[in-house]
Amino acid sequence: MPCDVVIVGGGPAGLSAAIRLKQLNEELEVVVLEKGSEIGAHILSGAVVDPKALDELLPEWRTMDCPMAEVPVTDNWHWQLSKGGKTSLPHAFMPPLMSNKGCYTGSLGNLTRWLAEQAEALGVMVFPGFPAAEVMLGEDGAVTGVITQDMGVAADGSHKGDFQPGMAIEAKYTLLAEGARGNLTKQMKARFDLEANCEPQVYGLGIKELWDIDPAKHVPGRVIHTQGWPLSESDTWGGGFLYHQAGGQVALGFVTALDYKNPYVSPFHEFQRWKQHPEIRAILEGGKRVAYGARAINEGGWQSVPQLAFPGGALIGCAAGFVNVPRIKGSHTAMKSGMLAAESVAAAIAAGREHDAVMEYDAALRESWIATELKLVKNAQPAVAKFGGEIGTVLAGADMWMRSLKIGLPITMKHHRDYEELQRADLHQPIEYPAPDGKISFDRLTSVSYSFTNHAEDQPNHLKVADMELQRVSELGVFAGPSTRYCPAGVYEWLIEDGKEPKFQINAQNCVHCKTCDIKDPNQNITWTTPEGGGGPNYPNM
């Protein structure tokens, strides 16, 4: 199937690129491939959205039945938590860039569904349920498109009765909008050495729930962020969020930075502890959980942005990594990157070019407001990572203030790969997490059921372990099996029976596609790949 541009990923970046391409040239044939069962099925974010990019893309969006327009942010709180109490941090002490004035809170999944409608109205071909599994390369090594995942393959590799081979989507340019830690993005970064001149990307794991709460407690537009407890007890850092959204619901979640050292840390259980904090529990009591999910988040910032263009394609959105960590926002920068890529690609096609590296996009982005914004906060994440939550936050705040006042020090702090930070189990004590109460806190498998995850069981395992012996000797023997704790979906288990070798069991049908295993495995021995189309979570309103 030939086209002008194929976009891998139907998130904010991919759909913004598709819309901009058709705005610039309605004759362009644009294809969007989305691995989820529908647009938005795999989208998970807080979310508080800065409308800056949306204003540029579709200026009339507030009057176009866009779901994000329903709840503007009205109230903004930031809490430093101790085990039993809190300290409110005055916003007057925070740099102006931290303000949520003019932002909106709602479901990013619903925003992408709406963006898909706008794209299709312009003639974009949107194909949900079709993961891009392989990149096609021309004789000169340039990317010439992608091949979608085969359908109907049994676990033993044989073809079932409903087998359908993947489709080759040939394109003049391929835009990778896979989100954080995409499989094809990883391959292209390695093939074209796109990270040669930047710091390594680092990540956090965001775990989220959606609750219907007591209407008397609901304050539409209220935004709460927290830091400190409970991660302060395990020398880990991150924080929580709780957003009062439409329909009497709150979106709440917890982000754990994946550079933690203690292999006994469980981000899922830290989230469950956080919900039991008196201030959080008071909001949730009397309510009902209706959805659950998890996703890795780019946290590297400006110094981790790789070369964005390569022969035949480019990285956009979280595939490249434009999250503003202190603001906990990345949708607006993702959308803008897609728009900038679209503008450069449309111009290249108009000039008769194809399959080359559109470096104009890379240059344009580095001169855009994305760069201006991310440079202001580039030392925030590494300052907290290096100096800890309390001292690091003070230093990060000082650095952001100085940069906002244009007196910033000429220093760019460095990153260390998350898996390299994990330490041997014998250097730490196991953490005893409290049992769930079934009202506020829950177990993992019950939680996964609220992600509405589904994979056909008779298909090849999409979680590839390169060396099972290394997994047994090192991941279990040296690090005490952190995969059983870092995974928020209970995918990994070590089955240990007397007189038998430990068995590494992979419950791939539970996978919510968060990619944490691909990031945090201490030996980089696990690779996440695309499962059969439509598999994974089916987030309704996340």
Side-chain angles (χ1 to χ4, degrees):
M1 178 180 173
C3 65
D4 291 304
V5 182
V6 61
I7 300 169
V8 180
L15 291 168
S16 296
I19 290 169
R20 179 62 100 207
L21 283 164
K22 296 295 278 188
Q23 288 174 336
L24 293 168
N25 183 353
E26 62 182 13
E27 300 300 320
L28 289 175
E29 293 185 331
V30 181
V31 171
V32 174
L33 300 176
E34 165 56 40
K35 66 183 175 69
S37 60
E38 64 170 357
I39 294 294
H42 291 178
I43 296 294
L44 183 142
S45 177
V48 171
V49 174
D50 185 331
K52 188 172 184 177
L54 198 50
D55 286 338
E56 294 181 15
L57 182 65
L58 296 164
E60 304 301 319
W61 66 273
R62 292 174 182 81
T63 60
M64 295 171 63
D65 294 323
C66 177
M68 193 55 71
E70 191 170 351
V71 183
V73 173
T74 58
D75 198 5
N76 200 31
W77 296 357
H78 195 108
W79 297 342
Q80 176 75 32
L81 299 184
S82 59
K83 187 171 184 177
K86 76 172 191 300
T87 301
S88 293
L89 303 181
H91 278 274
F93 292 170
M94 297 183 185
L97 64 92
M98 296 294 289
S99 172
N100 282 317
K101 185 178 181 180
C103 294
Y104 295 78
T105 182
S107 163
L108 191 65
N110 287 341
L111 175 61
T112 60
R113 291 179 178 98
W114 180 82
L115 285 171
E117 293 174 2
Q118 312 312 308
E120 289 180 314
L122 293 170
V124 176
M125 293 173 281
V126 180
F127 297 118
F130 285 88
E134 183 181 346
V135 170
M136 293 192 296
L137 301 171
E139 292 183 0
D140 60 354
V143 172
T144 59
V146 296
I147 301 175
T148 64
Q149 184 79 41
D150 291 344
M151 306 282 281
V153 179
D156 62 4
S158 63
H159 293 176
K160 296 185 284 188
D162 60 349
F163 172 75
Q164 292 183 354
M167 180 182 290
I169 312 292
E170 299 175 345
K172 295 173 183 175
Y173 292 102
T174 301
L175 300 182
L176 297 183
E178 298 179 291
R181 197 69 171 193
N183 183 46
L184 299 186
T185 300
K186 271 182 63 179
Q187 295 177 31
M188 294 306 97
K189 282 182 174 181
R191 179 176 185 84
F192 296 109
D193 200 15
L194 301 181
E195 295 182 304
N197 298 311
C198 69
E199 289 295 303
Q201 186 59 258
V202 294
Y203 301 86
L205 172 60
I207 303 176
K208 177 183 174 180
E209 292 178 349
L210 200 63
W211 283 64
D212 292 330
I213 66 166
D214 181 346
K217 301 178 182 179
H218 192 253
V219 186
R222 173 165 290 174
V223 166
I224 301 171
H225 293 114
T226 79
Q227 64 185 79
W229 189 87
L231 292 178
S232 55
E233 294 186 354
S234 59
D235 196 25
T236 309
W237 69 277
F241 64 85
L242 195 152
Y243 305 150
H244 291 250
Q245 299 180 342
Q249 292 186 325
V250 293
L252 64 148
F254 200 75
V255 179
T256 302
L258 289 177
D259 62 352
Y260 61 82
K261 295 176 170 56
N262 185 344
Y264 293 109
V265 165
S266 168
F268 173 85
H269 289 98
E270 296 291 347
F271 174 42
Q272 302 308 313
R273 291 180 72 200
W274 174 79
K275 287 189 293 177
Q276 294 286 7
H277 189 278
E279 296 289 343
I280 305 300
R281 185 184 180 99
I283 298 171
L284 300 181
E285 283 182 318
K288 178 183 178 182
R289 181 177 69 160
V290 297
Y292 168 86
R295 189 68 174 91
I297 305 165
N298 293 303
E299 292 192 338
W302 184 247
Q303 55 267 59
S304 294
V305 173
Q307 178 179 310
L308 300 172
F310 52 86
L315 307 179
I316 62 176
C318 284
F322 301 117
V323 172
N324 184 322
V325 176
R327 292 189 75 195
I328 321 179
K329 291 178 179 59
S331 299
H332 64 304
T333 50
M335 292 177 68
K336 179 63 173 178
S337 71
M339 294 156 62
L340 290 170
E343 291 160 7
S344 296
V345 165
I349 293 174
R353 293 161 53 189
E354 60 183 66
H355 303 152
D356 62 343
V358 186
M359 296 305 296
E360 302 94 317
Y361 159 54
D362 190 289
L365 190 137
R366 295 177 193 279
E367 295 298 322
S368 71
W369 56 254
I370 296 176
T372 302
E373 180 176 325
L374 294 186
K375 286 177 182 178
L376 290 175
V377 301
K378 65 179 181 177
N379 287 332
Q381 190 277 353
V384 178
K386 182 172 183 178
F387 297 106
E390 294 184 3
I391 296 175
T393 297
V394 172
L395 293 175
D399 187 81
M400 287 189 291
W401 262 115
M402 292 176 70
R403 292 181 186 282
S404 298
L405 297 172
K406 303 187 185 304
I407 53 174
L409 299 174
I411 296 172
T412 299
M413 297 183 69
K414 298 184 180 298
H415 295 307
H416 302 282
R417 298 184 191 278
D418 292 318
Y419 72 90
E420 295 175 339
E421 296 294 289
L422 199 66
Q423 296 179 346
R424 304 190 319 263
D426 62 1
L427 300 176
H428 299 271
Q429 293 296 318
I431 300 173
E432 295 294 331
Y433 289 105
D437 62 14
K439 297 178 181 179
I440 301 297
S441 55
F442 307 94
D443 64 87
R444 265 189 296 192
L445 293 185
T446 300
S447 297
V448 172
S449 71
Y450 281 84
S451 70
F452 311 103
T453 293
N454 182 58
H455 296 86
E457 292 197 24
D458 186 21
Q459 66 170 293
N461 188 345
H462 68 280
L463 302 162
K464 310 296 186 184
V465 179
D467 185 340
M468 278 294 185
E469 180 63 11
L470 176 62
Q471 204 69 7
R472 184 185 67 81
V473 171
S474 179
E475 203 265 350
L476 177 62
V478 176
F479 296 97
S483 59
T484 64
R485 292 176 288 274
Y486 62 56
C487 175
V491 169
Y492 300 103
E493 294 182 87
W494 278 104
L495 304 180
I496 301 175
E497 298 180 27
D498 290 341
K500 295 183 179 180
E501 286 282 307
K503 179 183 177 183
F504 193 49
Q505 179 161 305
I506 303 175
N507 306 306
Q509 66 272 22
N510 288 2
C511 180
V512 294
H513 299 198
C514 73
K515 317 290 179 64
T516 303
C517 53
D518 200 292
I519 296 165
K520 192 59 176 174
D521 180 80
N523 303 295
Q524 293 297 274
N525 197 33
I526 300 175
T527 300
W528 188 97
T529 64
T530 52
E532 192 169 284
N538 286 280
Y539 297 135
N541 193 29
M542 300 280 266

